[in-house]
Amino acid sequence: MGKIIAFANQKGGVGKTTSAVNIAAALGVLGYRVLLIDLDPQGNATSGVGVMKKTLKATAFEMLTTDAPARDVILATQYDNLSIIPTHTTLARAEYELGNTERGEYVMREKMKDVRDDYDYIIIDCPPSLGMLTVNAMTASDGVIIPMQCEFFALEGLSQLMFTISRIKQHYNPALNVTGILITMHNSRLMLSVQVINELRKHYADRLFETTISRNVRLSEAPGYGAPICYYDKRSKGAMEYMNVAKELVERI
């Protein structure tokens, strides 16, 4: 049975989608069967693996708001062992639809039952909010990975996210755990980065990934070419760091 991991942070611009896409691709390179689910209405994970949003006939929106089974909206990508449930901006309407659906928090969990055994890992890229889409993702997941920058405001947001995870664990998904906290856009030369990491180690030492993701030009370029970093430039620092995180994730699970 595949493990379902949600990538979540209510703060935007923290490298959440970048991390979801590149860890999913790295797991595929390692030989694992991976399904990436784009649950962010911006659809950046979809374009990040080279899928043209204009050509989509069925997306995560149809999966969550109609009788369409998950298998009907899965697309194979051009990358090894990596498939995707894509999305585009219509997914924003799903927040309202799910909020007005009986047991709307459980829709994603129910949809995943049919495809879970087909994959080793199912990676969900959540929107930068704590609305119904994120609640659905966490209710369906075994664990949450929290990508975050080395900023003090990020520490404040982390405590709010941890509270949300504990509420979802209490009310909807007792099996939910924090798989790890991933530091992104890291600059080891900045004193602030050192201070934030030290603070995280005080409170979340067992949850912090050993590998941090550095600021990297090649990493920023890759989405423009519809390619994960391990395909765009497999020798880049970003590719090696995300591959190390993927290996660490496998060990943790």
Side-chain angles (χ1 to χ4, degrees):
M1 182 180 290
K3 293 294 183 181
I4 304 178
I5 308 294
F7 282 63
N9 194 321
Q10 73 274 24
K11 189 176 184 298
V14 298
K16 172 183 58 61
T17 297
T18 298
S19 297
V21 167
N22 287 305
I23 290 172
L27 288 168
V29 169
L30 291 171
Y32 296 99
R33 300 164 300 162
V34 184
L35 175 63
L36 174 64
I37 303 177
D38 190 349
L39 219 58
D40 186 341
Q42 297 175 88
N44 292 334
T46 299
S47 54
V49 294
V51 174
M52 300 292 291
K53 285 179 275 189
K54 291 180 181 178
T55 65
L56 296 173
K57 294 180 180 178
T59 68
F61 177 75
E62 283 75 24
M63 180 186 72
L64 293 173
T65 62
T66 73
D67 292 334
R71 192 169 278 109
D72 285 1
V73 297
I74 294 174
L75 296 177
T77 73
Q78 59 188 301
Y79 304 111
D80 293 344
N81 304 309
L82 180 61
S83 298
I84 186 169
I85 292 179
T87 198
H88 49 54
T89 53
T90 55
L91 184 62
R93 302 206 313 264
E95 291 278 4
Y96 174 80
E97 298 275 356
L98 291 168
N100 286 280
T101 301
E102 187 177 354
R103 289 175 59 84
E105 298 86 359
Y106 297 94
V107 173
M108 174 69 81
R109 178 191 283 183
E110 291 302 313
K111 295 286 185 172
M112 289 298 100
K113 286 180 179 178
D114 290 338
V115 299
R116 191 164 181 167
D117 289 340
D118 297 341
Y119 299 95
D120 299 305
Y121 293 96
I122 297 174
I123 304 294
I124 306 177
D125 181 33
C126 297
S129 70
L130 298 177
M132 279 296 286
L133 288 170
T134 299
V135 170
N136 251 266
M138 290 189 186
T139 301
S141 295
D142 300 297
V144 182
I145 289 179
I146 305 169
M148 61 174 286
Q149 289 177 269
C150 287
E151 298 177 351
F152 280 114
F153 285 138
L155 289 174
E156 291 181 1
L158 179 62
S159 61
Q160 182 184 355
L161 183 54
M162 287 294 191
F163 175 74
T164 300
I165 292 170
S166 69
R167 291 295 298 273
I168 291 172
K169 186 180 177 75
Q170 179 183 354
H171 294 288
Y172 306 120
N173 183 6
L176 184 66
N177 288 300
V178 176
T179 303
I181 299 168
L182 177 63
I183 298 298
T184 61
M185 305 177 195
H186 180 241
N187 187 341
S188 59
R189 293 174 293 182
L190 294 180
M191 181 57 69
L192 178 60
S193 294
V194 176
Q195 291 172 338
V196 171
I197 289 178
N198 286 340
E199 194 67 23
L200 285 168
R201 282 176 178 152
K202 283 182 188 176
H203 302 286
Y204 304 105
D206 58 329
R207 293 173 175 170
L208 203 59
F209 278 95
E210 291 181 18
T211 304
T212 59
I213 306 301
S214 309
R215 288 189 179 273
N216 184 273
V217 173
R218 303 296 276 173
L219 203 51
S220 301
E221 291 173 351
Y225 292 86
I229 189 63
C230 58
Y231 290 92
Y232 179 67
D233 186 350
K234 65 181 181 181
R235 293 183 178 82
S236 67
K237 189 174 184 181
M240 291 186 283
E241 288 172 345
Y242 272 118
M243 186 60 71
N244 287 337
V245 174
K247 291 175 181 176
E248 191 176 341
L249 174 60
V250 171
E251 288 177 4
R252 286 186 178 215
I253 291 178

Short mmCIF file of all heavy atoms in Angstrom, two decimals, residues 14-50:
data_model
loop_
_atom_site.label_atom_id
_atom_site.label_comp_id
_atom_site.label_asym_id
_atom_site.label_seq_id
_atom_site.Cartn_x
_atom_site.Cartn_y
_atom_site.Cartn_z
N VAL A 14 7.39 29.45 -0.25
CA VAL A 14 8.36 28.80 0.63
C VAL A 14 9.04 27.59 -0.03
O VAL A 14 9.79 26.88 0.61
CB VAL A 14 7.71 28.36 1.96
CG1 VAL A 14 7.17 29.57 2.72
CG2 VAL A 14 6.61 27.34 1.72
N GLY A 15 8.74 27.37 -1.32
CA GLY A 15 9.33 26.22 -2.00
C GLY A 15 8.53 24.94 -1.83
O GLY A 15 9.06 23.84 -2.02
N LYS A 16 7.24 25.09 -1.53
CA LYS A 16 6.39 23.92 -1.31
C LYS A 16 6.21 23.10 -2.59
O LYS A 16 6.45 21.89 -2.61
CB LYS A 16 5.04 24.37 -0.75
CG LYS A 16 3.99 23.28 -0.65
CD LYS A 16 2.68 23.84 -0.16
CE LYS A 16 2.17 24.93 -1.06
NZ LYS A 16 1.92 24.47 -2.46
N THR A 17 5.78 23.78 -3.66
CA THR A 17 5.57 23.08 -4.92
C THR A 17 6.88 22.57 -5.50
O THR A 17 6.96 21.45 -6.00
CB THR A 17 4.86 24.00 -5.93
OG1 THR A 17 3.57 24.35 -5.41
CG2 THR A 17 4.69 23.33 -7.29
N THR A 18 7.92 23.40 -5.42
CA THR A 18 9.24 22.98 -5.90
C THR A 18 9.68 21.70 -5.20
O THR A 18 10.19 20.78 -5.83
CB THR A 18 10.27 24.10 -5.65
OG1 THR A 18 9.88 25.27 -6.38
CG2 THR A 18 11.67 23.69 -6.09
N SER A 19 9.44 21.64 -3.91
CA SER A 19 9.84 20.46 -3.13
C SER A 19 8.99 19.24 -3.49
O SER A 19 9.52 18.14 -3.65
CB SER A 19 9.74 20.76 -1.64
OG SER A 19 10.63 21.80 -1.27
N ALA A 20 7.68 19.44 -3.62
CA ALA A 20 6.80 18.32 -3.97
C ALA A 20 7.18 17.72 -5.32
O ALA A 20 7.30 16.50 -5.47
CB ALA A 20 5.35 18.78 -3.97
N VAL A 21 7.37 18.59 -6.31
CA VAL A 21 7.71 18.14 -7.66
C VAL A 21 9.05 17.42 -7.68
O VAL A 21 9.19 16.32 -8.24
CB VAL A 21 7.73 19.33 -8.65
CG1 VAL A 21 8.39 18.94 -9.97
CG2 VAL A 21 6.32 19.84 -8.88
N ASN A 22 10.05 18.01 -7.07
CA ASN A 22 11.40 17.46 -7.17
C ASN A 22 11.62 16.23 -6.31
O ASN A 22 12.38 15.33 -6.70
CB ASN A 22 12.43 18.55 -6.84
CG ASN A 22 12.53 19.56 -7.96
OD1 ASN A 22 12.78 19.23 -9.12
ND2 ASN A 22 12.34 20.83 -7.64
N ILE A 23 10.95 16.14 -5.20
CA ILE A 23 11.04 14.92 -4.39
C ILE A 23 10.28 13.78 -5.07
O ILE A 23 10.75 12.64 -5.10
CB ILE A 23 10.54 15.16 -2.96
CG1 ILE A 23 11.53 16.07 -2.22
CG2 ILE A 23 10.36 13.85 -2.20
CD1 ILE A 23 11.06 16.55 -0.86
N ALA A 24 9.12 14.10 -5.66
CA ALA A 24 8.37 13.08 -6.41
C ALA A 24 9.21 12.54 -7.57
O ALA A 24 9.29 11.32 -7.78
CB ALA A 24 7.07 13.68 -6.94
N ALA A 25 9.86 13.44 -8.31
CA ALA A 25 10.69 13.02 -9.44
C ALA A 25 11.90 12.22 -8.98
O ALA A 25 12.27 11.21 -9.60
CB ALA A 25 11.14 14.24 -10.24
N ALA A 26 12.51 12.64 -7.87
CA ALA A 26 13.68 11.93 -7.34
C ALA A 26 13.30 10.52 -6.90
O ALA A 26 14.04 9.56 -7.13
CB ALA A 26 14.28 12.71 -6.17
N LEU A 27 12.13 10.37 -6.28
CA LEU A 27 11.67 9.03 -5.88
C LEU A 27 11.46 8.16 -7.11
O LEU A 27 11.77 6.96 -7.10
CB LEU A 27 10.36 9.15 -5.10
CG LEU A 27 10.47 9.72 -3.67
CD1 LEU A 27 9.09 10.05 -3.12
CD2 LEU A 27 11.19 8.75 -2.75
N GLY A 28 10.96 8.77 -8.20
CA GLY A 28 10.80 8.02 -9.45
C GLY A 28 12.13 7.56 -10.01
O GLY A 28 12.26 6.42 -10.48
N VAL A 29 13.13 8.42 -9.95
CA VAL A 29 14.48 8.07 -10.42
C VAL A 29 15.04 6.91 -9.58
O VAL A 29 15.75 6.04 -10.10
CB VAL A 29 15.42 9.29 -10.34
CG1 VAL A 29 16.87 8.88 -10.57
CG2 VAL A 29 15.01 10.33 -11.39
N LEU A 30 14.69 6.89 -8.30
CA LEU A 30 15.16 5.83 -7.41
C LEU A 30 14.44 4.51 -7.64
O LEU A 30 14.76 3.50 -7.02
CB LEU A 30 15.00 6.27 -5.95
CG LEU A 30 15.92 7.41 -5.48
CD1 LEU A 30 15.50 7.89 -4.09
CD2 LEU A 30 17.38 6.96 -5.48
N GLY A 31 13.45 4.52 -8.54
CA GLY A 31 12.77 3.28 -8.90
C GLY A 31 11.41 3.08 -8.25
O GLY A 31 10.78 2.03 -8.46
N TYR A 32 10.94 4.05 -7.49
CA TYR A 32 9.63 3.93 -6.84
C TYR A 32 8.53 4.44 -7.77
O TYR A 32 8.74 5.37 -8.55
CB TYR A 32 9.61 4.72 -5.53
CG TYR A 32 10.58 4.20 -4.50
CD1 TYR A 32 11.82 4.81 -4.31
CD2 TYR A 32 10.27 3.07 -3.74
CE1 TYR A 32 12.72 4.33 -3.39
CE2 TYR A 32 11.17 2.58 -2.81
CZ TYR A 32 12.40 3.21 -2.63
OH TYR A 32 13.29 2.73 -1.73
N ARG A 33 7.37 3.82 -7.69
CA ARG A 33 6.21 4.27 -8.47
C ARG A 33 5.56 5.43 -7.72
O ARG A 33 5.18 5.28 -6.55
CB ARG A 33 5.20 3.14 -8.64
CG ARG A 33 5.73 1.90 -9.37
CD ARG A 33 4.81 0.71 -9.14
NE ARG A 33 4.71 0.39 -7.72
CZ ARG A 33 3.75 -0.35 -7.18
NH1 ARG A 33 2.80 -0.86 -7.94
NH2 ARG A 33 3.74 -0.59 -5.88
N VAL A 34 5.45 6.57 -8.40
CA VAL A 34 5.03 7.80 -7.72
C VAL A 34 3.85 8.45 -8.44
O VAL A 34 3.83 8.56 -9.67
CB VAL A 34 6.19 8.82 -7.65
CG1 VAL A 34 5.77 10.05 -6.86
CG2 VAL A 34 7.43 8.18 -7.03
N LEU A 35 2.88 8.87 -7.64
CA LEU A 35 1.77 9.69 -8.15
C LEU A 35 1.86 11.05 -7.48
O LEU A 35 1.85 11.16 -6.26
CB LEU A 35 0.42 9.04 -7.82
CG LEU A 35 -0.82 9.86 -8.19
CD1 LEU A 35 -0.90 10.08 -9.71
CD2 LEU A 35 -2.09 9.19 -7.68
N LEU A 36 1.94 12.09 -8.29
CA LEU A 36 1.95 13.47 -7.81
C LEU A 36 0.55 14.05 -8.00
O LEU A 36 0.01 13.99 -9.10
CB LEU A 36 2.99 14.29 -8.58
CG LEU A 36 3.06 15.79 -8.32
CD1 LEU A 36 3.47 16.07 -6.87
CD2 LEU A 36 4.03 16.46 -9.29
N ILE A 37 -0.03 14.58 -6.95
CA ILE A 37 -1.36 15.19 -7.05
C ILE A 37 -1.23 16.70 -6.87
O ILE A 37 -0.77 17.16 -5.83
CB ILE A 37 -2.34 14.62 -6.00
CG1 ILE A 37 -2.45 13.09 -6.15
CG2 ILE A 37 -3.70 15.28 -6.12
CD1 ILE A 37 -3.34 12.44 -5.11
N ASP A 38 -1.64 17.45 -7.89
CA ASP A 38 -1.59 18.91 -7.83
C ASP A 38 -2.90 19.40 -7.24
O ASP A 38 -3.93 19.44 -7.90
CB ASP A 38 -1.37 19.48 -9.24
CG ASP A 38 -1.06 20.97 -9.20
OD1 ASP A 38 -1.22 21.58 -8.13
OD2 ASP A 38 -0.66 21.52 -10.25
N LEU A 39 -2.86 19.81 -5.97
CA LEU A 39 -4.06 20.28 -5.29
C LEU A 39 -4.01 21.79 -5.06
O LEU A 39 -4.76 22.32 -4.25
CB LEU A 39 -4.23 19.53 -3.95
CG LEU A 39 -5.66 19.15 -3.56
CD1 LEU A 39 -6.30 18.27 -4.62
CD2 LEU A 39 -5.68 18.46 -2.21
N ASP A 40 -3.11 22.46 -5.75
CA ASP A 40 -3.00 23.91 -5.67
C ASP A 40 -3.61 24.51 -6.95
O ASP A 40 -3.15 24.21 -8.05
CB ASP A 40 -1.53 24.31 -5.57
CG ASP A 40 -1.33 25.81 -5.35
OD1 ASP A 40 -2.27 26.59 -5.63
OD2 ASP A 40 -0.24 26.19 -4.92
N PRO A 41 -4.68 25.33 -6.82
CA PRO A 41 -5.34 25.88 -8.02
C PRO A 41 -4.41 26.63 -8.97
O PRO A 41 -4.76 26.82 -10.14
CB PRO A 41 -6.40 26.82 -7.42
CG PRO A 41 -6.71 26.23 -6.08
CD PRO A 41 -5.38 25.71 -5.58
N GLN A 42 -3.25 27.05 -8.50
CA GLN A 42 -2.30 27.72 -9.39
C GLN A 42 -1.75 26.76 -10.44
O GLN A 42 -1.29 27.18 -11.50
CB GLN A 42 -1.15 28.32 -8.58
CG GLN A 42 -1.58 29.40 -7.61
CD GLN A 42 -0.44 29.88 -6.74
OE1 GLN A 42 0.31 30.78 -7.10
NE2 GLN A 42 -0.29 29.26 -5.57
N GLY A 43 -1.77 25.47 -10.13
CA GLY A 43 -1.36 24.46 -11.10
C GLY A 43 0.11 24.43 -11.42
O GLY A 43 0.52 23.92 -12.47
N ASN A 44 0.95 24.91 -10.52
CA ASN A 44 2.39 24.97 -10.81
C ASN A 44 3.05 23.60 -10.84
O ASN A 44 4.00 23.38 -11.57
CB ASN A 44 3.10 25.87 -9.79
CG ASN A 44 2.73 27.32 -9.96
OD1 ASN A 44 2.35 27.75 -11.05
ND2 ASN A 44 2.82 28.09 -8.88
N ALA A 45 2.55 22.67 -10.04
CA ALA A 45 3.11 21.31 -10.08
C ALA A 45 2.80 20.65 -11.42
O ALA A 45 3.61 19.89 -11.97
CB ALA A 45 2.57 20.47 -8.93
N THR A 46 1.62 20.95 -11.97
CA THR A 46 1.22 20.40 -13.27
C THR A 46 2.18 20.87 -14.36
O THR A 46 2.72 20.05 -15.13
CB THR A 46 -0.22 20.83 -13.60
OG1 THR A 46 -1.10 20.30 -12.60
CG2 THR A 46 -0.64 20.31 -14.96
N SER A 47 2.39 22.18 -14.45
CA SER A 47 3.31 22.70 -15.47
C SER A 47 4.75 22.34 -15.15
O SER A 47 5.59 22.22 -16.04
CB SER A 47 3.16 24.22 -15.60
OG SER A 47 3.31 24.86 -14.35
N GLY A 48 5.06 22.13 -13.88
CA GLY A 48 6.41 21.79 -13.46
C GLY A 48 6.90 20.44 -13.93
O GLY A 48 8.10 20.16 -13.93
N VAL A 49 5.96 19.57 -14.33
CA VAL A 49 6.35 18.27 -14.90
C VAL A 49 6.01 18.20 -16.39
O VAL A 49 5.89 17.12 -16.97
CB VAL A 49 5.72 17.08 -14.13
CG1 VAL A 49 6.27 17.00 -12.72
CG2 VAL A 49 4.19 17.18 -14.12
N GLY A 50 5.83 19.38 -17.00
CA GLY A 50 5.69 19.43 -18.45
C GLY A 50 4.30 19.15 -19.00
O GLY A 50 4.15 18.91 -20.19
#
